[in-house]
Amino acid sequence: MSFFRGRWVLSDRETTRVFVDCDPGIDDAVALAYLAARPEVEILGVGAVFGNNTVAVTAQNALRLLELYGRPEVPVAVGAERPLVQAPRLAEHVHGGNGLGDVELPDPKGEPVAESAAELLVRLARENPGELDVLAVGPLTNVALAIGLEPRLPQLVRRLVVMGGAVEVAGNVGSHAEANIVNDPEAAEAVFAAGFDLDLVALDITMKTVATAEWLDRLKEVPGDRAERTSAFLDFYAEFYKGIFGLRQCAMHDPLAAAVLADPHLVTEAFEAPVRVELTGTLTRGMTVADRRPRPRTDERRACRVVTSVSEDAFLDLMLDALR
């Protein structure tokens, strides 16, 4: 055991049970690769949600990726096809028409389970009280629906790691909003208000944690189908990010969130504050607002831990090792 964030947590030698809620998605794919490569990480289930593509596509991608990365036994559940209130907005221009950089993978041998993603999450949390970690790297609709099914979910889940938000930096789909949050602001606000032990991996850190051209070239030298397909995913992703960075590199949004969950020692700096999602602002809908005023807090909302610095080189080395 090790002491982390005021409590004892599992060490790297003990099993970490994880539910992944995602919208694969290139960076979702790399996050699944990171977790799937770790023998001490038991992926109990995957929930698919709309976001980078339709939920029909993201569910099939999840099945394909789990087979590619050696975890075909993991159940995949189809989740929400749209946000709670607004119309969905997809990201084919970022992730390709098939969500995986237009890289073709074999049709999956398995099929999604009969349960919805929210139902699967609730069942697994009830079966593993206090032992289940949740990684949410898409719109938070499935997690919000799960809270509706089981209001005790924040107490049943050990830890929730969310990739989303732009706390003190610019957004990526607007001046203030990040894609996962703005794709369902009402769901995100419900999740931040629910009382989870929650780590937020926002654009503040993910836009600084990048796979450089040198790292992408190192990946191309790794033998095997997993590394070859992942390299092809990231080539497409890096081409999109060239328009943002001006260089051949890409942000590692979802893989970094997976690393924060599996390897919390990688986090070197963070702050704690209540986080809210702006729902009504004409220019700021979907903005994540952290109250950082230097005063004794009387806020009834449980604070999130917002990651602001990580051991980037160590993370990228671990990511490369996961694809060997």
Side-chain angles (χ1 to χ4, degrees):
M1 298 279 253
S2 60
F3 198 65
F4 172 70
R5 200 180 175 190
R7 54 190 163 80
W8 291 100
V9 298
L10 298 170
S11 73
D12 289 343
R13 294 186 299 274
E14 297 173 300
T15 299
T16 301
R17 295 173 176 170
V18 180
F19 178 88
V20 182
D21 198 75
C22 56
D23 58 337
I26 292 170
D27 55 336
D28 307 72
V30 186
L32 287 171
Y34 190 98
L35 295 178
R38 304 292 291 272
E40 76 279 6
V41 174
E42 184 181 2
I43 306 175
L44 295 187
V46 170
V49 67
F50 75 93
N52 291 324
N53 211 301
T54 67
V55 72
V57 171
T58 62
Q60 289 296 306
N61 284 350
L63 290 166
R64 290 184 174 94
L65 292 165
L66 288 166
E67 292 179 10
L68 173 66
Y69 296 132
R71 296 289 186 99
E73 76 287 353
V74 175
V76 173
V78 178
E81 65 181 3
R82 57 165 295 137
L84 298 178
V85 174
Q86 65 192 30
R89 53 186 297 169
L90 308 181
E92 293 180 353
H93 63 294
V94 180
H95 297 269
N98 70 351
L100 296 174
D102 296 328
V103 178
E104 295 297 331
L105 296 180
D107 289 338
K109 297 181 177 65
E111 296 182 354
V113 298
E115 293 170 291
S116 71
E119 289 169 332
L120 178 59
L121 171 54
V122 167
R123 177 169 64 81
L124 292 172
R126 288 171 175 167
E127 292 174 355
N128 301 273
E131 298 180 0
L132 183 68
D133 288 351
V134 177
L135 175 66
V137 291
L140 291 170
T141 317
N142 288 341
V143 182
L145 292 171
I147 296 168
L149 294 174
E150 173 52 273
R152 296 181 303 130
L153 189 67
Q155 289 72 53
L156 293 172
V157 165
R158 189 175 76 112
R159 180 180 175 215
L160 171 63
V161 177
V162 171
M163 190 280 123
V167 179
E168 297 183 333
V169 298
N172 61 357
V173 292
S175 60
H176 295 81
E178 179 275 332
N180 286 341
I181 303 301
V182 81
N183 263 342
D184 197 339
E186 282 76 15
E189 170 62 10
V191 171
F192 289 131
F196 287 98
D197 188 345
L198 194 155
D199 294 336
L200 185 62
V201 183
L203 295 184
D204 304 57
I205 184 61
T206 64
M207 289 298 288
K208 297 188 295 185
T209 308
V210 299
T212 63
E214 179 186 8
W215 189 92
L216 293 168
D217 288 341
R218 289 172 64 195
L219 176 58
K220 287 185 180 299
E221 298 173 0
V222 177
D225 192 42
R226 299 176 190 181
E228 181 179 343
R229 298 298 181 101
T230 306
S231 178
F233 301 156
L234 290 173
D235 281 345
F236 186 98
Y237 207 42
E239 189 62 30
F240 168 79
Y241 270 101
K242 190 182 292 184
I244 296 171
F245 292 124
L247 300 169
R248 178 176 164 252
Q249 63 184 34
C250 54
M252 297 289 269
H253 303 292
D254 296 352
L256 183 60
V260 168
L261 185 145
D263 298 295
H265 65 274
L266 291 173
V267 177
T268 54
E269 292 182 18
F271 67 83
E272 295 201 6
V275 175
R276 286 174 166 78
V277 179
E278 175 59 54
L279 301 179
T280 60
T282 303
L283 300 177
T284 57
R285 178 168 161 80
M287 181 180 181
T288 42
V289 182
D291 186 352
R292 299 195 67 186
R293 287 174 289 179
R295 57 173 175 75
R297 285 210 177 87
T298 57
D299 199 322
E300 76 288 351
R301 180 167 299 201
R302 183 170 184 174
C304 299
R305 179 172 179 263
V306 181
V307 177
T308 56
S309 179
V310 298
S311 299
E312 182 177 351
D313 290 343
F315 158 64
L316 290 170
D317 286 345
L318 285 169
M319 187 70 254
L320 202 63
D321 288 344
L323 295 166
R324 293 190 191 283

